[in-house]
Amino acid sequence: MISRTLLKSALAAAIITGAATAATAQQTAISPTPQRIAWGQKAFDRPQHISLKGAETADADAVAALLSQFAKGKGVKVVIGERGDKAVRAVADSIPDHPQGYYLRVRPGEVIIAGNDPTGTYYGVQTFLQVASQPEVMSVDVTDWPSTPFRGVVEGFYGNAWSFDDRVDQFAFYGSNKLDTYIYGPKDDPYHRAKWRELYPAEEAARMKALNDEARRHKVRFVWGIHPAGDHQWNDADNEATVRKFEQMYDLGFRNFSIFFDDVFGKQADGKLHAQYMDYVKRHFIDRHPDIELFIMCPSLYNKAWKGSFQPSYLADISVMDPSIKVMWTGNSVVDMIDVADMEWINPQIGREAFIWLNYPVTDYCINHLLMGPFTGNEPEATAMVSGFTANPMEYARASKLSLFSNADFLWNPSAYDPQKSWLLATGRLQPGRADAFRKFCLYNVDLGQNTHRLRRLNESPELKALIDAYEHPMSRAYLPEAAEAFAAEFAALGAAATTLLEAAPTDSMLTEIRPWIEVARMLGRRGVLATEMYNALFKADSVSFVRHYLDYASLTDSASKIASRDFPGSVKVAYPMVGSLYAEPLLRRGVSIMTDEYRHRFGYRTDVFPQLALENGSYRLRHDGKWLGNPDAGSTGGRPVWQTAEDDVNPDRQIWRVTYDPATGRYSLVNAKDGRYVNERGAFTVSDTSNPFDAEWHTFVIERADNGFTLRQGGNAGKKYLAPDSDGLAPAEAPATIEFIPVK
């Protein structure tokens, strides 16, 4: 039977792709959803050529975008221009009097694109390109403008920064989807943070200029920023260095600027000093250049949950800054969706409307996951209470487009936003010709897993969840072949979808970027089918088939656990993809564990193949006596893990440990998720990969169950001492000590 969820998705997809009546067969879904749109009948067949009127005075970028899709020549007449231009004077009263607004009219033989300003004209072209994407172009009137100012992206994640090509590709995507703001804040650009005082060398400066030029071509404000708070001395020399750096960027063509104070604490997080510094830059740089558009600050106290960790007066101290300075805010916590209550609290605190930094779909705190589900959770009414709204994306630039597409849709017209409809449209636009396969894959990459910020998405793999709810418990009590068949079909569909995507990956940049997750998804699909075959064999008392299927399942499980993403030399972070972690993987763990236990009780054939593992391979947080084992000096050499009293919610990977079973030794390795350094037999970190490379005979441990946790013991050449907590970290000891291993899912 087809589930109701699947049926709804199919119907919505049919509507979006235009499978309707003949009269509306060539209507196309416009994204972002316009404020007002009225369709008519067919106007003309999609033209190869257009004749242009008004191109000489219209926005050059808008004209270029139009001519990138249609050649000039004898064809449909296209009139283009901005308010006040002679070419569009006849429709002047129809142009909405809103920034970035436009009016689009399509009639038989004629198209009029009229912007309230140059950006509006450019956006009108983008809408016309969507209307004209069908073989038959329909008559339509569109009166449109954005509801939310300064919509876009803040590249502010920890991890491997986007490349030059990633950013160029993003700017084109932003232009197409009417996102107008990009804030530059990659933590690994030394001239943004570590060397913030120093001017860009000529080659790097040229690259930055090229990026800004490309952004402007797509009507994107490139907000260039520095992060000086780590070592700013709050003196004239550093203030002057800031202005000197900004002047360099101004000369390169930048007209939007920001200063970051995020993730600094103690004496460097002084609200009064921050406000004085911002006002100094405002007086000595911003005010001297009237054409500068945006000046933004990201405060140290950027979410409500942290207010107890800073000076009680911090927000009041920065509220006295010049009111034109925008102040960024992430919500009630570091990772939070935005609602009216958030804005009602923060806006009076800072004396202005907050500029939102939404930490979604960023995954720098849950790097093993992709976030590919519908964009949900923000209240439409809150957008009227912000001065801007930007989203922090994943380090996977092209995969981030799925969420950013719907974010653009939401911010442009919040009251009309439909998360499911927008998601379906986005998946179809991003993977035309294989949208169904892409959607199936995405639905297994929705939840964030357990994380320090506690944001979850429980709408993962809905078809599988429905089967679990209906069949898992009854299957444990009786043989239900029809249920096994239903599970096998669902897992086979996932495997087939992943195979389709893998075949396309060599020529598709997005699929290439996330290939490790697609490979894991393919293996998950096959593992699910094998588990159902184990179920059938168990109830048919076929011990030989059961063992054969189990061995294949175990081999695939091991192979999947070893797949890594971004494991190249110099990578800032290495991810081990998790797919289906909310429902699929727990189902298989439960099911296979129950079946192998039942097998042991009923059969004697090859019971040796079932390992008795104390811990499954995976990511864990280690706790002892209320403290967390962390790696605060990640990226350095030497040193040791230390016990920390607080959870690390800035860089949670520093407190996450990859535990991997080594079948050759029967022991486990312990590796930090932040920088990939392993724990050696002395409880310390490797000095260097050259002088002390990983050796399984030395650097693996016996992990054994104990009351309320586990114990760690040396093995192989290292001896047989325990690795036990001391006052700082871990150290060899004669007696065992219990450590909690809390799985990160």
Side-chain angles (χ1 to χ4, degrees):
M1 295 179 64
I2 299 177
S3 71
R4 291 184 179 180
T5 301
L6 187 60
L7 184 59
K8 287 181 180 179
S9 297
L11 289 172
I15 293 170
I16 287 170
T17 53
T21 64
T24 61
Q26 296 301 312
Q27 290 182 14
T28 186
I30 305 300
S31 182
T33 304
Q35 304 289 346
R36 293 199 293 268
I37 184 168
W39 292 97
Q41 301 300 311
K42 175 183 174 180
F44 46 80
D45 292 328
R46 189 178 193 277
Q48 298 295 317
H49 298 83
I50 59 173
S51 62
L52 271 177
K53 178 182 178 182
E56 298 78 11
T57 54
D59 177 71
D61 297 323
V63 173
L66 189 62
L67 294 179
S68 70
Q69 300 297 316
F70 303 103
K72 290 178 68 174
K74 186 177 181 181
V76 172
K77 178 183 177 183
V78 177
V79 181
I80 188 169
E82 286 85 61
R83 183 185 296 279
D85 288 356
K86 181 179 179 181
V88 296
R89 187 177 299 165
V91 296
D93 291 342
S94 298
I95 303 172
D97 189 16
H98 294 275
Q100 302 182 350
Y102 66 90
Y103 172 68
L104 168 66
R105 187 172 78 187
V106 178
R107 293 289 186 273
E110 183 182 65
V111 175
I112 299 177
I113 304 170
N116 186 53
D117 49 38
T119 299
T121 306
Y122 180 85
Y123 287 163
V125 169
Q126 298 302 323
T127 298
F128 173 65
L129 293 179
Q130 294 184 58
V131 172
S133 64
Q134 301 295 322
E136 294 182 351
V137 180
M138 307 297 290
S139 297
V140 70
D141 281 83
V142 180
T143 306
D144 203 11
W145 64 90
S147 295
T148 312
F150 304 117
R151 311 162 309 281
V153 171
V154 51
E155 186 186 341
F157 52 82
Y158 291 88
N160 298 288
W162 287 348
S163 69
F164 181 93
D165 290 342
D166 284 337
R167 292 175 184 132
V168 168
D169 179 71
Q170 286 282 310
F171 297 151
F173 177 79
Y174 301 163
S176 297
N177 289 278
K178 305 183 178 79
L179 291 171
D180 67 352
T181 303
Y182 164 77
I183 302 176
Y184 179 81
K187 302 296 192 283
D188 72 331
D189 177 353
Y191 298 97
H192 165 76
R193 191 168 188 171
K195 298 181 179 180
W196 65 269
R197 298 174 180 85
E198 300 180 26
L199 301 182
Y200 277 103
E203 183 176 351
E204 289 298 319
R207 288 172 62 85
M208 294 302 297
K209 181 182 185 305
L211 284 173
N212 186 48
D213 291 345
E214 188 67 19
R216 294 176 69 177
R217 191 165 71 86
H218 296 287
K219 304 306 181 189
V220 177
R221 298 179 182 89
F222 190 128
V223 183
W224 187 87
I226 56 173
H227 195 303
D231 63 352
H232 195 295
Q233 299 304 301
W234 315 114
N235 56 26
D236 290 343
D238 277 357
N239 290 346
E240 292 165 3
T242 303
V243 172
R244 186 165 57 249
K245 186 70 165 283
F246 277 177
E247 290 287 2
Q248 181 195 32
M249 306 313 293
Y250 183 89
D251 291 342
L252 293 174
F254 289 84
R255 296 296 182 267
N256 300 277
F257 297 88
S258 61
I259 297 180
F260 294 77
F261 302 94
D262 56 313
D263 302 338
V264 296
F265 305 92
K267 65 179 183 180
Q268 290 300 103
D270 187 308
K272 290 182 179 178
L273 293 176
H274 292 178
Q276 292 168 8
Y277 177 48
M278 293 296 296
D279 279 337
Y280 176 93
V281 176
K282 175 72 167 55
R283 291 193 308 272
H284 291 84
F285 173 68
I286 303 296
D287 291 347
R288 295 179 180 180
H289 299 287
D291 56 344
I292 288 178
E293 298 175 272
L294 273 177
F295 187 35
I296 303 175
M297 171 205 199
C298 179
S300 297
L301 176 52
Y302 56 78
N303 70 89
K304 187 178 180 181
W306 283 7
K307 63 183 184 349
S309 301
F310 292 85
Q311 299 166 337
S313 63
Y314 183 93
L315 294 178
D317 290 341
I318 66 171
S319 71
V320 303
M321 293 185 306
D322 186 286
S324 67
I325 299 172
K326 312 293 185 185
V327 177
M328 303 195 82
W329 190 250
T330 68
N332 277 331
S333 60
V334 176
V335 179
D336 182 37
M337 300 296 112
I338 306 301
D339 58 28
V340 170
D342 293 337
M343 307 314 302
E344 288 178 339
W345 188 87
I346 183 56
N347 287 348
Q349 302 284 331
I350 58 176
R352 68 205 72 203
E353 292 181 330
F355 194 107
I356 297 302
W357 172 323
L358 186 77
N359 273 318
Y360 188 90
V362 64
T363 57
D364 56 6
Y365 61 99
C366 56
I367 63 170
N368 297 329
H369 295 264
L370 291 179
L371 300 185
M372 308 295 282
F375 180 80
T376 61
N378 297 286
E379 284 188 358
E381 296 80 7
T383 59
M385 306 169 70
V386 306
S387 60
F389 197 117
T390 52
N392 194 9
M394 297 183 280
E395 71 173 70
Y396 301 91
R398 286 162 173 79
S400 295
K401 289 180 179 179
L402 182 58
S403 182
L404 297 178
F405 180 99
S406 292
N407 190 14
D409 197 7
F410 169 73
L411 294 174
W412 184 271
N413 189 353
S415 62
Y417 178 66
D418 182 328
Q420 185 69 6
K421 181 179 177 181
S422 184
W423 181 80
L424 287 166
L425 181 59
T427 51
R429 292 271 176 88
L430 294 171
Q431 288 296 318
R434 46 183 174 270
D436 288 342
F438 186 52
R439 288 167 185 151
K440 176 63 73 174
F441 167 78
C442 290
L443 286 173
Y444 278 80
N445 291 274
V446 173
D447 188 41
L448 299 79
Q450 294 180 2
N451 62 86
T452 57
H453 300 303
R454 295 173 177 83
L455 178 67
R456 303 299 298 269
R457 287 288 185 261
L458 303 182
N459 54 330
E460 188 169 276
S461 54
E463 283 79 17
L464 179 66
K465 179 61 164 57
L467 294 177
I468 292 171
D469 292 343
Y471 293 127
E472 184 181 16
H473 181 66
M475 288 175 74
S476 68
R477 302 168 63 89
Y479 181 44
L480 299 177
E482 70 278 9
E485 182 180 355
F487 275 113
E490 173 62 20
F491 280 112
L494 173 62
T499 298
T500 296
L501 300 180
L502 288 172
E503 290 172 350
T507 57
D508 186 285
S509 57
M510 175 190 288
L511 301 181
T512 298
E513 182 184 61
I514 60 175
R515 185 182 186 111
W517 276 268
I518 304 174
E519 291 175 342
V520 171
R522 181 185 62 79
M523 292 180 178
L524 174 60
R526 180 57 185 154
R527 288 167 56 226
V529 172
L530 286 168
T532 63
E533 291 175 346
M534 289 172 61
Y535 174 81
N536 290 327
L538 183 65
F539 277 93
K540 292 177 181 179
D542 185 349
S543 60
V544 174
S545 293
F546 184 91
V547 170
R548 184 176 72 252
H549 296 322
Y550 171 78
L551 290 173
D552 288 344
Y553 173 90
S555 176
L556 274 174
T557 302
D558 180 64
S559 296
S561 72
K562 294 176 180 176
I563 292 176
S565 175
R566 303 288 168 101
D567 57 343
F568 49 80
S571 175
V572 177
K573 286 189 175 185
V574 178
Y576 294 88
M578 291 182 173
V579 177
S581 63
L582 183 60
Y583 300 121
E585 285 290 357
L587 170 70
L588 294 183
R589 283 196 297 270
R590 292 191 302 267
V592 171
S593 176
I594 292 169
M595 287 189 292
T596 54
D597 184 64
E598 178 68 19
Y599 180 92
R600 289 188 184 95
H601 284 85
R602 292 175 55 187
F603 304 100
Y605 172 72
R606 294 297 311 277
T607 56
D608 60 298
V609 304
F610 308 121
Q612 301 293 320
L613 298 182
L615 280 174
E616 296 290 337
N617 289 349
S619 298
Y620 295 81
R621 303 180 73 231
L622 276 60
R623 183 169 61 187
H624 174 75
D625 197 24
K627 297 181 179 180
W628 304 92
L629 191 67
N631 177 17
D633 297 320
S636 62
T637 57
R640 59 191 300 219
V642 299
W643 295 104
Q644 299 175 298
T645 57
E647 294 185 57
D648 190 337
D649 57 3
V650 174
N651 275 292
D653 294 332
R654 294 184 297 201
Q655 291 180 346
I656 294 176
W657 303 88
R658 179 85 180 165
V659 178
T660 306
Y661 179 76
D662 177 22
T665 63
R667 298 188 296 272
Y668 293 83
S669 61
L670 193 62
V671 176
N672 185 254
K674 174 64 177 177
D675 59 7
R677 292 192 295 170
Y678 66 84
V679 178
N680 65 25
E681 74 281 5
R682 299 185 305 278
F685 285 122
T686 174
V687 176
S688 75
D689 290 337
T690 301
S691 63
N692 191 21
F694 179 80
D695 183 343
E697 287 302 320
W698 282 91
H699 306 134
T700 54
F701 306 95
V702 177
I703 297 181
E704 297 172 322
R705 290 185 178 274
D707 291 341
N708 301 318
F710 298 84
T711 61
L712 275 172
R713 184 163 49 83
Q714 296 171 339
N717 296 338
K720 295 186 178 180
K721 286 187 176 182
Y722 289 94
L723 211 59
D726 63 8
S727 59
D728 294 318
L730 297 169
E734 297 295 335
T738 300
I739 301 171
E740 295 178 78
F741 282 69
I742 301 169
V744 177
K745 298 178 180 179

